[in-house]
Amino acid sequence: MRYYKLLFLGLVVFGNLKAYSQAPADSVLTLQQCIDLAIKNNLDVKKSELQMQTQEIAYNQARENLLPSINGNVSHNISNGRSQDPTNYNYVTQQITYAQYNLNSNLTLFNGMSLLNNIKRYSLAYQAGKMDFQQAKDLVTLNVITAYLQVLDNEDLLKATVIQVEQAQKQVDRLVVLNKDGATPPATLYDLKGTLATSKIGAVNTKAAMGISKINLLQIMNVPLDKDLKLARLSADQLPGTYDKNPDEIYTKALNDLALVKAYDLRLKSAEKEVKSAKGALWPTLTAFGSLATNYSSTGNTGYYSQLKNNYSSGFGVGLSIPFLNYFQSRNKVALARIDLQTAKYNNDFTKIQLKQNIDQAYINMSSALERYHLLRDQVDAYGESYRIAEVKFNSGAITSVDFVIAKSNFDQANTNLINARYDYFIRTKILDYYQGNLAL
């Protein structure tokens, strides 16, 4: 019975932990919570972390290669027939039991600084792995921010379309009454019914777009589909104003702070150390070694432990290995390391060139989005006043339904464009923040 209780308790705890890793049900998710869930669940981030851990192990191994090697050997043999007596090295014809114990150590004193350069090489590679891990998290963060803002954009659009439907419905309801009394032409009523249908279609399309944007966000977060997902609205102080940096300032900061750039810089330095490490193999290698040994034989005149004590021996020395010719392997390794270095240089240069191009393009997109947003605000104000006047005139019968529908359509479209422009500008600023290694919320 106790076993089943523990099993039940374990299932409950596991279920709670699993639920925590997913999107909280019936709750409002903040942008930071979405980012945290995405980073926790994203497979690219997990693979990048494993790669970083692999590079850490390689770095640790490079350091540990400075330590001496110590190996022990134990052997027990039984020989029958004619064999050599290990105590006096004479040949005898009898069964002999023989045991041997050895302890050997070897330490590299000098090998052309290859070991030290390898430590620096793998240390730099490990630091580059850290930057790759940060880059993976930054990309997920940027994707979540973009998807999150897209959901908010569609929510605002849906609210606007609902208001448009309500306004159109009021006009239709009013005209239905007037039409029954013969106070308005049927064509006017049908014009407004068509406008109402158009507004409802817009609402349906916007609702579908909002659902798709939520699915996209949940997929980035790698959590199950939740149709009732609710997102916290951003406060006014989180909405960006005019961007205060120019492309050159952004690029300069990106060179210093962007994880992607740091990773390629570190790989270039690692490749330089790889060349030096490969050159070290062309130098002679100086090593120190030592050994301890003892043995036992059934042909001995004393007991087992006495023989182990009496047969004890030790030795130490130094060795020098000079690489005269080894199929040109060492020189070819140097040549390959130089090719890797040149490749790293090209990758580093290409990354910086592409970064500058991307920043220039992103800045133009941001500037255009800001300008478009300001112009659309003026357009909304103008079309809003035009729509107000048209509604007053239409209600008094001073203009036709065609003029009223045009005024309403212009105002509705301007509102939609303004909402899209606002979030488009927000997203563009976040892209520039990403290039500067600054996605703090």
Side-chain angles (χ1 to χ4, degrees), residues 302-319:
T302 60
Y304 183 83
Y305 292 104
S306 296
Q307 286 192 48
L308 293 182
K309 181 178 179 180
N310 295 332
N311 294 334
Y312 167 80
S313 65
S314 63
F316 65 90
V318 293

Side-chain angles (χ1 to χ4, degrees), residues 81-363:
R82 184 174 177 77
S83 60
Q84 192 177 47
D85 186 343
T87 59
N88 54 28
Y89 299 103
N90 294 325
Y91 283 93
V92 296
T93 304
Q94 68 181 80
Q95 185 182 76
I96 299 177
T97 302
Y98 180 68
Q100 190 172 26
Y101 301 88
N102 294 304
L103 187 65
N104 302 298
S105 180
N106 193 293
L107 175 64
T108 300
L109 300 178
F110 178 79
N111 67 340
M113 305 297 288
S114 182
L115 289 177
L116 294 177
N117 283 317
N118 255 341
I119 292 175
K120 296 175 182 178
R121 168 193 172 187
Y122 285 108
S123 173
L124 292 166
Y126 173 43
Q127 297 301 320
K130 287 183 177 180
M131 293 299 101
D132 287 337
F133 182 46
Q134 183 61 48
Q135 170 70 6
K137 293 191 290 185
D138 287 346
L139 283 176
V140 170
T141 300
L142 181 61
N143 290 336
V144 169
I145 291 174
T146 302
Y148 191 99
L149 292 175
Q150 190 62 56
V151 175
L152 297 186
D153 183 13
N154 287 321
E155 286 181 349
D156 287 355
L157 288 174
L158 183 59
K159 291 178 183 177
T161 55
V162 169
I163 294 174
Q164 293 168 14
V165 170
E166 291 175 350
Q167 292 173 342
Q169 186 66 57
K170 289 179 181 178
Q171 284 292 347
V172 169
D173 293 342
R174 185 180 70 85
L175 291 177
V176 167
V177 175
L178 293 176
N179 184 61
K180 287 181 179 180
D181 296 336
T184 185
T188 300
L189 173 60
Y190 292 124
D191 282 341
L192 268 295
K193 282 187 175 182
T195 301
L196 174 61
T198 300
S199 298
K200 288 182 177 180
I201 291 172
V204 171
N205 292 337
T206 304
K207 187 175 182 181
M210 185 178 68
I212 293 173
S213 62
K214 284 185 177 181
I215 292 174
N216 184 42
L217 175 60
L218 292 171
Q219 287 176 343
I220 295 174
M221 293 161 58
N222 197 19
V223 296
L225 176 62
D226 181 9
K227 295 181 180 179
D228 298 324
L229 174 67
K230 297 178 182 178
L231 302 180
R233 304 295 301 181
L234 295 176
S235 58
D237 58 350
Q238 291 174 289
L239 300 178
T242 303
Y243 212 76
D244 59 351
K245 288 184 174 62
N246 59 49
D248 291 335
E249 291 174 332
I250 297 172
Y251 178 66
T252 301
K253 197 168 189 307
L255 293 179
N256 295 324
D257 298 338
L258 186 62
L260 177 66
V261 176
K262 289 182 179 179
Y264 277 103
D265 283 339
L266 289 167
R267 285 197 184 90
L268 176 59
K269 294 176 182 178
S270 177
E272 292 172 350
K273 298 300 179 183
E274 180 185 0
V275 173
K276 292 182 178 180
S277 176
K279 286 181 177 179
L282 300 175
W283 288 73
T285 300
L286 180 65
T287 58
F289 55 85
S291 64
L292 297 173
T294 187
N295 57 62
Y296 160 81
S297 174
S298 60
T299 60
N301 297 325
T302 60
Y304 183 83
Y305 292 104
S306 296
Q307 286 192 48
L308 293 182
K309 181 178 179 180
N310 295 332
N311 294 334
Y312 167 80
S313 65
S314 63
F316 65 90
V318 293
L320 183 65
S321 174
I322 303 176
F324 289 114
L325 182 66
N326 61 348
Y327 313 104
F328 295 98
Q329 291 180 356
S330 297
R331 293 190 180 277
N332 286 331
K333 287 181 179 178
V334 173
L336 291 173
R338 284 173 173 164
I339 292 175
D340 290 341
L341 174 59
Q342 195 62 42
T343 301
K345 288 181 179 178
Y346 289 152
N347 289 337
N348 194 38
D349 292 342
F350 176 77
T351 299
K352 292 178 179 179
I353 292 172
Q354 191 176 49
L355 176 65
K356 185 66 170 65
Q357 294 173 349
N358 292 341
I359 288 176
D360 288 341
Q361 184 63 52
Y363 191 86

Side-chain angles (χ1 to χ4, degrees), residues 60-77:
N60 290 334
Q61 183 61 64
R63 291 189 301 169
E64 290 156 1
N65 287 340
L66 292 176
L67 299 174
S69 63
I70 301 176
N71 299 290
N73 297 295
V74 178
S75 63
H76 282 258
N77 304 306

Side-chain angles (χ1 to χ4, degrees), residues 375-428:
L375 291 173
L376 284 169
R377 282 197 308 182
D378 296 337
Q379 187 183 60
V380 167
D381 292 339
Y383 278 139
E385 181 62 19
S386 174
Y387 171 67
R388 186 190 67 79
I389 295 172
E391 186 175 28
V392 173
K393 289 183 177 180
F394 177 68
N395 291 339
S396 63
I399 61 174
T400 66
S401 59
V402 175
D403 295 329
F404 174 73
V405 169
I406 291 174
K408 184 178 186 308
S409 297
N410 289 338
F411 180 56
D412 292 344
Q413 187 60 49
N415 267 322
T416 299
N417 292 338
L418 178 63
I419 293 171
N420 284 330
R422 176 169 176 261
Y423 283 99
D424 182 48
Y425 173 63
F426 199 169
I427 291 172
R428 301 296 179 184

